[in-house]
Coordinates of all heavy atoms in Angstrom, one line a residue:
M1 N -44.5 -2.6 3.0 CA -43.2 -2.0 3.3 C -42.4 -3.0 4.2 O -42.9 -3.5 5.2 CB -43.4 -0.7 4.0 CG -42.1 0.0 4.4 SD -42.6 1.6 5.1 CE -41.0 2.1 5.7
L2 N -41.2 -3.3 3.8 CA -40.3 -4.2 4.5 C -39.5 -3.4 5.5 O -38.9 -2.4 5.2 CB -39.4 -4.9 3.6 CG -38.4 -5.8 4.2 CD1 -39.1 -7.0 4.9 CD2 -37.4 -6.4 3.1
C3 N -39.7 -3.8 6.7 CA -38.9 -3.1 7.8 C -38.0 -4.1 8.5 O -38.5 -5.0 9.2 CB -40.0 -2.6 8.8 SG -39.4 -1.1 9.6
A4 N -36.7 -4.0 8.3 CA -35.8 -5.0 8.8 C -34.7 -4.2 9.5 O -34.3 -3.1 9.1 CB -35.2 -5.9 7.7
K5 N -34.2 -4.8 10.6 CA -33.2 -4.2 11.3 C -31.9 -4.4 10.6 O -31.5 -5.5 10.1 CB -33.1 -4.9 12.7 CG -32.0 -4.3 13.6 CD -32.0 -5.0 15.0 CE -30.8 -4.6 15.8 NZ -30.7 -5.3 17.0
Y6 N -31.1 -3.3 10.4 CA -29.8 -3.4 9.7 C -28.8 -4.2 10.6 O -28.7 -3.9 11.8 CB -29.3 -2.0 9.5 CG -27.9 -2.0 8.8 CD1 -27.8 -2.3 7.5 CD2 -26.8 -1.8 9.6 CE1 -26.5 -2.4 6.9 CE2 -25.5 -1.9 9.0 CZ -25.4 -2.1 7.6 OH -24.2 -2.2 7.1
D7 N -28.2 -5.2 10.1 CA -27.3 -6.0 10.8 C -25.9 -6.0 10.1 O -25.8 -6.5 9.0 CB -27.8 -7.4 10.9 CG -26.9 -8.3 11.8 OD1 -26.4 -7.8 12.8 OD2 -26.7 -9.4 11.4
Y8 N -24.9 -5.3 10.6 CA -23.6 -5.2 10.0 C -23.0 -6.5 9.7 O -22.5 -6.7 8.6 CB -22.7 -4.4 10.9 CG -21.4 -4.1 10.3 CD1 -21.2 -3.2 9.3 CD2 -20.2 -4.8 10.8 CE1 -19.9 -3.0 8.7 CE2 -19.0 -4.6 10.2 CZ -18.8 -3.7 9.2 OH -17.6 -3.5 8.7
K9 N -23.1 -7.5 10.6 CA -22.5 -8.8 10.4 C -23.2 -9.5 9.2 O -22.5 -10.1 8.4 CB -22.5 -9.6 11.6 CG -21.6 -9.2 12.7 CD -21.6 -10.1 13.9 CE -20.7 -9.6 15.0 NZ -20.7 -10.4 16.2
M10 N -24.5 -9.4 9.1 CA -25.2 -10.0 8.0 C -24.8 -9.3 6.7 O -24.6 -10.0 5.7 CB -26.7 -9.9 8.2 CG -27.5 -10.5 7.1 SD -27.2 -12.2 6.8 CE -28.2 -13.0 8.0
D11 N -24.7 -8.0 6.7 CA -24.3 -7.3 5.5 C -22.9 -7.7 5.0 O -22.7 -8.0 3.8 CB -24.3 -5.8 5.8 CG -24.1 -4.9 4.6 OD1 -24.6 -5.3 3.5 OD2 -23.3 -4.0 4.7
I12 N -22.0 -7.9 5.9 CA -20.6 -8.3 5.6 C -20.7 -9.7 5.0 O -20.1 -10.1 4.0 CB -19.7 -8.3 6.8 CG1 -19.5 -6.8 7.2 CG2 -18.4 -9.0 6.5 CD1 -18.8 -5.9 6.2
A13 N -21.5 -10.6 5.6 CA -21.6 -12.0 5.2 C -22.2 -12.1 3.7 O -21.7 -12.8 2.9 CB -22.5 -12.8 6.1
V14 N -23.2 -11.2 3.5 CA -23.8 -11.2 2.1 C -22.7 -10.7 1.1 O -22.6 -11.3 0.0 CB -25.0 -10.3 2.1 CG1 -25.5 -10.0 0.7 CG2 -26.1 -11.0 2.9
K15 N -22.0 -9.7 1.5 CA -21.0 -9.2 0.5 C -19.9 -10.2 0.3 O -19.4 -10.3 -0.8 CB -20.4 -7.8 1.1 CG -21.4 -6.7 1.0 CD -20.9 -5.4 1.5 CE -21.9 -4.4 1.4 NZ -21.5 -3.1 1.9
Q16 N -19.5 -10.9 1.3 CA -18.5 -11.9 1.1 C -19.0 -13.0 0.2 O -18.2 -13.5 -0.6 CB -18.0 -12.5 2.5 CG -17.2 -11.6 3.3 CD -16.9 -12.1 4.7 OE1 -17.6 -13.0 5.2 NE2 -15.8 -11.6 5.3
E17 N -20.2 -13.4 0.4 CA -20.8 -14.4 -0.5 C -20.8 -14.0 -1.9 O -20.5 -14.7 -2.8 CB -22.2 -14.8 0.0 CG -22.9 -15.9 -0.8 CD -22.2 -17.2 -0.7 OE1 -21.6 -17.5 0.4 OE2 -22.3 -18.0 -1.7
E18 N -21.2 -12.7 -2.2 CA -21.2 -12.2 -3.5 C -19.8 -12.2 -4.1 O -19.6 -12.5 -5.3 CB -21.7 -10.8 -3.5 CG -23.2 -10.7 -3.2 CD -23.7 -9.3 -3.0 OE1 -22.9 -8.3 -2.9 OE2 -25.0 -9.1 -2.9
A19 N -18.8 -11.9 -3.3 CA -17.4 -11.9 -3.7 C -17.0 -13.3 -4.2 O -16.3 -13.5 -5.2 CB -16.5 -11.4 -2.7
Y20 N -17.4 -14.3 -3.4 CA -17.1 -15.7 -3.8 C -17.8 -16.0 -5.2 O -17.2 -16.6 -6.0 CB -17.6 -16.7 -2.8 CG -16.7 -16.9 -1.6 CD1 -17.0 -16.3 -0.4 CD2 -15.6 -17.6 -1.7 CE1 -16.2 -16.6 0.7 CE2 -14.7 -17.8 -0.7 CZ -15.1 -17.3 0.6 OH -14.2 -17.5 1.6
E21 N -19.0 -15.6 -5.3 CA -19.7 -15.9 -6.5 C -19.1 -15.3 -7.8 O -19.1 -15.9 -8.8 CB -21.2 -15.4 -6.4 CG -22.0 -16.2 -5.4 CD -23.4 -15.7 -5.1 OE1 -23.8 -14.7 -5.8 OE2 -24.1 -16.3 -4.3
D22 N -18.6 -14.1 -7.7 CA -18.1 -13.5 -8.9 C -16.6 -13.7 -9.1 O -16.0 -13.1 -10.0 CB -18.5 -12.0 -9.0 CG -17.8 -11.1 -8.0 OD1 -17.0 -11.6 -7.2 OD2 -18.1 -10.0 -7.9
G23 N -16.0 -14.4 -8.3 CA -14.6 -14.8 -8.4 C -13.6 -13.8 -7.9 O -12.4 -14.1 -7.9
A24 N -14.0 -12.7 -7.3 CA -13.1 -11.7 -6.8 C -12.3 -12.3 -5.7 O -11.0 -12.1 -5.6 CB -13.8 -10.5 -6.4
H25 N -12.9 -13.1 -4.8 CA -12.2 -13.7 -3.7 C -11.2 -14.7 -4.2 O -10.0 -14.7 -3.6 CB -13.2 -14.3 -2.7 CG -12.6 -14.7 -1.4 ND1 -12.2 -16.0 -1.2 CD2 -12.3 -14.0 -0.3 CE1 -11.7 -16.0 0.0 NE2 -11.8 -14.8 0.6
D26 N -11.5 -15.5 -5.1 CA -10.6 -16.4 -5.7 C -9.3 -15.8 -6.2 O -8.2 -16.2 -6.1 CB -11.2 -17.3 -6.8 CG -12.3 -18.2 -6.2 OD1 -12.3 -18.5 -5.0 OD2 -13.2 -18.6 -7.0
K27 N -9.5 -14.6 -6.9 CA -8.4 -13.9 -7.4 C -7.5 -13.3 -6.3 O -6.3 -13.3 -6.4 CB -8.9 -12.7 -8.3 CG -7.8 -12.0 -9.0 CD -7.0 -12.8 -10.0 CE -6.0 -12.0 -10.7 NZ -5.0 -12.8 -11.4
S28 N -8.1 -12.8 -5.3 CA -7.4 -12.3 -4.1 C -6.6 -13.4 -3.5 O -5.4 -13.2 -3.1 CB -8.3 -11.7 -3.1 OG -9.0 -10.6 -3.6
I29 N -7.1 -14.6 -3.4 CA -6.4 -15.7 -2.8 C -5.2 -16.1 -3.7 O -4.1 -16.3 -3.2 CB -7.3 -17.0 -2.6 CG1 -8.3 -16.7 -1.5 CG2 -6.5 -18.2 -2.4 CD1 -9.3 -17.7 -1.3
E30 N -5.4 -16.1 -5.0 CA -4.3 -16.4 -5.9 C -3.2 -15.4 -5.8 O -2.0 -15.7 -5.8 CB -4.8 -16.6 -7.3 CG -3.8 -17.1 -8.3 CD -3.3 -18.5 -8.0 OE1 -4.1 -19.3 -7.4 OE2 -2.1 -18.8 -8.2
T31 N -3.6 -14.1 -5.7 CA -2.6 -13.0 -5.6 C -1.8 -13.2 -4.3 O -0.6 -13.0 -4.2 CB -3.3 -11.7 -5.7 OG1 -4.0 -11.6 -6.9 CG2 -2.3 -10.5 -5.6
A32 N -2.5 -13.5 -3.2 CA -1.9 -13.6 -1.9 C -0.9 -14.7 -1.9 O 0.2 -14.6 -1.4 CB -3.0 -13.9 -0.8
K33 N -1.2 -15.9 -2.5 CA -0.3 -17.0 -2.6 C 0.9 -16.6 -3.4 O 2.1 -17.0 -3.0 CB -1.0 -18.2 -3.3 CG -2.0 -18.9 -2.4 CD -2.6 -20.1 -3.1 CE -3.6 -20.8 -2.3 NZ -4.1 -22.0 -3.0
N34 N 0.8 -15.8 -4.5 CA 1.9 -15.4 -5.2 C 2.8 -14.5 -4.4 O 4.1 -14.6 -4.5 CB 1.5 -14.7 -6.5 CG 0.9 -15.6 -7.5 OD1 1.2 -16.8 -7.6 ND2 0.0 -15.1 -8.4
F35 N 2.2 -13.6 -3.6 CA 3.0 -12.7 -2.8 C 3.7 -13.5 -1.7 O 4.9 -13.2 -1.3 CB 2.1 -11.6 -2.1 CG 1.7 -10.5 -3.0 CD1 0.7 -9.7 -2.7 CD2 2.3 -10.3 -4.3 CE1 0.3 -8.6 -3.5 CE2 1.9 -9.3 -5.1 CZ 0.9 -8.4 -4.7
L36 N 3.1 -14.5 -1.2 CA 3.7 -15.3 -0.1 C 4.9 -16.1 -0.7 O 5.9 -16.2 0.0 CB 2.7 -16.4 0.4 CG 1.6 -15.8 1.3 CD1 0.5 -16.7 1.5 CD2 2.2 -15.4 2.7
K37 N 4.8 -16.5 -1.9 CA 6.0 -17.2 -2.6 C 7.1 -16.2 -2.8 O 8.3 -16.6 -2.8 CB 5.5 -17.8 -3.9 CG 4.6 -18.9 -3.8 CD 4.1 -19.4 -5.1 CE 3.0 -20.5 -4.9 NZ 2.4 -20.9 -6.2
E38 N 6.9 -14.9 -2.8 CA 7.9 -13.9 -2.9 C 8.3 -13.4 -1.6 O 9.1 -12.4 -1.5 CB 7.4 -12.7 -3.8 CG 7.1 -13.1 -5.2 CD 8.3 -13.6 -6.0 OE1 9.4 -13.0 -5.8 OE2 8.2 -14.5 -6.8
N39 N 7.9 -14.0 -0.5 CA 8.3 -13.7 0.9 C 7.8 -12.3 1.3 O 8.5 -11.6 2.1 CB 9.8 -13.8 1.1 CG 10.2 -15.3 0.9 OD1 9.5 -16.2 1.4 ND2 11.3 -15.5 0.2
I40 N 6.7 -11.8 0.8 CA 6.1 -10.6 1.3 C 5.5 -10.8 2.6 O 4.8 -11.9 2.8 CB 5.0 -10.1 0.3 CG1 5.6 -10.0 -1.2 CG2 4.4 -8.8 0.7 CD1 6.6 -8.9 -1.4
P41 N 5.7 -9.9 3.6 CA 5.1 -10.2 5.0 C 3.6 -10.4 4.9 O 2.9 -9.7 4.2 CB 5.5 -8.9 5.7 CG 6.7 -8.3 5.0 CD 6.5 -8.7 3.5
I42 N 3.1 -11.3 5.8 CA 1.7 -11.6 5.9 C 0.9 -10.4 6.1 O -0.2 -10.2 5.5 CB 1.5 -12.7 6.9 CG1 2.1 -14.0 6.5 CG2 0.0 -12.9 7.2 CD1 2.1 -15.1 7.5
E43 N 1.3 -9.5 7.1 CA 0.5 -8.3 7.4 C 0.4 -7.4 6.2 O -0.7 -6.8 6.0 CB 1.2 -7.6 8.6 CG 1.3 -8.4 9.9 CD 2.4 -9.4 9.9 OE1 3.3 -9.4 9.0 OE2 2.4 -10.1 10.9
T44 N 1.4 -7.3 5.4 CA 1.4 -6.4 4.2 C 0.4 -7.0 3.2 O -0.4 -6.2 2.6 CB 2.8 -6.3 3.6 OG1 3.7 -5.8 4.6 CG2 2.7 -5.4 2.4
I45 N 0.4 -8.3 3.0 CA -0.5 -8.9 2.1 C -1.9 -8.7 2.5 O -2.8 -8.3 1.7 CB -0.2 -10.4 2.0 CG1 1.2 -10.6 1.4 CG2 -1.2 -11.1 1.1 CD1 1.7 -12.1 1.4
A46 N -2.2 -9.0 3.8 CA -3.6 -8.8 4.3 C -4.1 -7.4 4.1 O -5.2 -7.2 3.6 CB -3.7 -9.2 5.7
R47 N -3.2 -6.4 4.4 CA -3.6 -5.0 4.3 C -3.9 -4.6 2.9 O -4.8 -3.9 2.6 CB -2.6 -4.1 5.0 CG -2.9 -2.7 5.1 CD -1.9 -1.8 5.8 NE -0.6 -1.8 5.0 CZ 0.5 -2.4 5.4 NH1 0.6 -3.0 6.6 NH2 1.6 -2.3 4.7
C48 N -3.0 -5.0 2.0 CA -3.0 -4.6 0.6 C -4.1 -5.3 -0.2 O -4.7 -4.7 -1.1 CB -1.7 -4.7 -0.1 SG -0.4 -3.6 0.6
I49 N -4.3 -6.5 0.1 CA -5.3 -7.3 -0.8 C -6.7 -7.3 -0.2 O -7.7 -7.4 -0.9 CB -4.8 -8.7 -0.9 CG1 -3.5 -8.7 -1.7 CG2 -5.8 -9.6 -1.6 CD1 -2.9 -10.1 -2.0
G50 N -6.8 -7.1 1.1 CA -8.1 -7.0 1.7 C -8.6 -8.3 2.3 O -9.8 -8.4 2.7
L51 N -7.7 -9.2 2.5 CA -8.1 -10.5 3.2 C -7.8 -10.3 4.7 O -7.0 -9.5 5.0 CB -7.3 -11.6 2.6 CG -7.4 -12.0 1.1 CD1 -6.5 -13.0 0.7 CD2 -8.9 -12.4 0.8
S52 N -8.4 -11.2 5.5 CA -8.1 -11.1 6.9 C -6.7 -11.7 7.2 O -6.2 -12.5 6.4 CB -9.2 -11.9 7.7 OG -9.0 -13.3 7.4
L53 N -6.1 -11.2 8.3 CA -4.8 -11.7 8.6 C -4.9 -13.2 8.8 O -3.9 -13.9 8.4 CB -4.3 -11.0 9.9 CG -2.9 -11.3 10.4 CD1 -1.9 -11.0 9.3 CD2 -2.6 -10.6 11.7
E54 N -5.9 -13.7 9.4 CA -6.1 -15.2 9.7 C -6.1 -15.9 8.4 O -5.5 -17.0 8.3 CB -7.3 -15.5 10.5 CG -7.3 -14.9 11.9 CD -7.6 -13.4 12.0 OE1 -8.1 -12.8 11.1 OE2 -7.3 -12.9 13.1
E55 N -6.8 -15.4 7.4 CA -6.9 -16.1 6.1 C -5.6 -16.1 5.4 O -5.2 -17.2 4.8 CB -8.0 -15.4 5.2 CG -8.3 -16.1 4.0 CD -9.5 -15.6 3.3 OE1 -10.0 -14.5 3.6 OE2 -10.0 -16.4 2.4
V56 N -4.8 -15.1 5.5 CA -3.5 -15.0 4.9 C -2.5 -16.0 5.6 O -1.7 -16.7 5.0 CB -2.9 -13.6 4.8 CG1 -1.5 -13.6 4.2 CG2 -3.8 -12.7 4.0
Q57 N -2.7 -16.1 6.9 CA -1.9 -17.0 7.7 C -2.1 -18.5 7.2 O -1.2 -19.3 7.1 CB -2.1 -16.8 9.2 CG -1.5 -15.6 9.7 CD -1.9 -15.3 11.1 OE1 -2.9 -15.7 11.6 NE2 -1.0 -14.5 11.8
K58 N -3.4 -18.8 7.0 CA -3.8 -20.1 6.6 C -3.2 -20.4 5.2 O -2.7 -21.5 4.9 CB -5.3 -20.3 6.5 CG -5.9 -20.4 7.9 CD -7.4 -20.6 7.8 CE -8.0 -20.5 9.2 NZ -9.5 -20.6 9.1
L59 N -3.3 -19.4 4.3 CA -2.7 -19.5 3.0 C -1.2 -19.7 3.0 O -0.6 -20.5 2.3 CB -3.0 -18.3 2.1 CG -4.5 -18.1 1.7 CD1 -4.7 -16.7 1.1 CD2 -5.0 -19.2 0.8
A60 N -0.5 -19.0 4.0 CA 0.9 -19.2 4.1 C 1.3 -20.6 4.5 O 2.2 -21.2 4.0 CB 1.4 -18.2 5.2
E61 N 0.5 -21.2 5.4 CA 0.7 -22.6 5.7 C 0.5 -23.5 4.5 O 1.3 -24.4 4.3 CB -0.3 -23.0 6.9 CG 0.0 -22.3 8.2 CD -1.0 -22.5 9.2 OE1 -1.9 -23.4 9.1 OE2 -1.0 -21.8 10.3
E62 N -0.5 -23.3 3.7 CA -0.8 -24.1 2.5 C 0.4 -24.0 1.6 O 0.9 -25.0 1.0 CB -2.0 -23.6 1.8 CG -3.3 -24.0 2.5 CD -4.5 -23.4 1.8 OE1 -4.5 -23.2 0.6 OE2 -5.6 -23.3 2.5
V63 N 0.9 -22.7 1.3 CA 2.0 -22.5 0.4 C 3.2 -23.2 0.9 O 4.0 -23.8 0.2 CB 2.2 -21.0 0.2 CG1 3.6 -20.7 -0.5 CG2 1.1 -20.4 -0.6
K64 N 3.5 -23.1 2.2 CA 4.6 -23.8 2.8 C 4.6 -25.3 2.6 O 5.6 -25.9 2.2 CB 4.7 -23.5 4.3 CG 5.9 -23.9 5.0 CD 5.9 -23.4 6.4 CE 7.2 -23.8 7.2 NZ 7.2 -23.3 8.6
V65 N 3.4 -25.9 2.8 CA 3.2 -27.3 2.6 C 3.4 -27.7 1.1 O 4.1 -28.6 0.8 CB 1.8 -27.8 3.1 CG1 1.5 -29.2 2.6 CG2 1.8 -27.7 4.6
Q66 N 2.9 -26.9 0.2 CA 3.0 -27.2 -1.2 C 4.5 -27.1 -1.6 O 5.0 -27.9 -2.4 CB 2.2 -26.2 -2.0 CG 0.7 -26.4 -1.9 CD -0.1 -25.3 -2.6 OE1 0.4 -24.3 -3.0 NE2 -1.4 -25.5 -2.7
E67 N 5.2 -26.1 -1.1 CA 6.6 -25.9 -1.5 C 7.4 -27.0 -0.9 O 8.4 -27.5 -1.6 CB 7.1 -24.5 -1.1 CG 6.5 -23.4 -1.9 CD 7.1 -22.0 -1.5 OE1 7.7 -21.9 -0.4 OE2 6.9 -21.1 -2.3
S68 N 7.1 -27.5 0.3 CA 7.9 -28.6 0.8 C 7.6 -29.9 0.1 O 8.5 -30.8 0.0 CB 7.5 -28.8 2.3 OG 6.2 -29.3 2.5
Q69 N 6.5 -30.1 -0.5 CA 6.2 -31.3 -1.3 C 6.9 -31.2 -2.6 O 7.2 -32.3 -3.2 CB 4.7 -31.4 -1.5 CG 3.9 -31.7 -0.3 CD 2.4 -31.7 -0.5 OE1 1.9 -31.2 -1.5 NE2 1.6 -32.2 0.5
L70 N 7.2 -30.1 -3.1 CA 7.9 -29.9 -4.4 C 9.4 -30.2 -4.2 O 10.1 -30.5 -5.2 CB 7.7 -28.5 -5.0 CG 6.2 -28.3 -5.5 CD1 6.1 -26.8 -5.9 CD2 5.8 -29.2 -6.6
S71 N 9.9 -30.0 -3.0 CA 11.3 -30.2 -2.8 C 11.7 -31.6 -2.7 O 11.1 -32.5 -2.4 CB 11.7 -29.4 -1.5 OG 11.4 -28.1 -1.6

C-alpha cells in the first residue's frame, strides 16, 4: 500500500505538466495573445482563460514587442 502525503503544490505542478503535454496550455496562450491584440484587459484575459496574471503580463510584453517589430 502506497502511503504518500498529499501535496497541493505537487498536484498543481503535475496538472500543469499534463496541460503542456496535451496542448491545452499552448491553446490558452494563443487565445490570450489574440485577446491582447484586441486590447482586452490583462486581468480579464487571466480570469477568463485560466492563466496566471503574471503569465498574461509576460505575453502582453511579447505581443507588444512583436507588434513594434512589424511597424
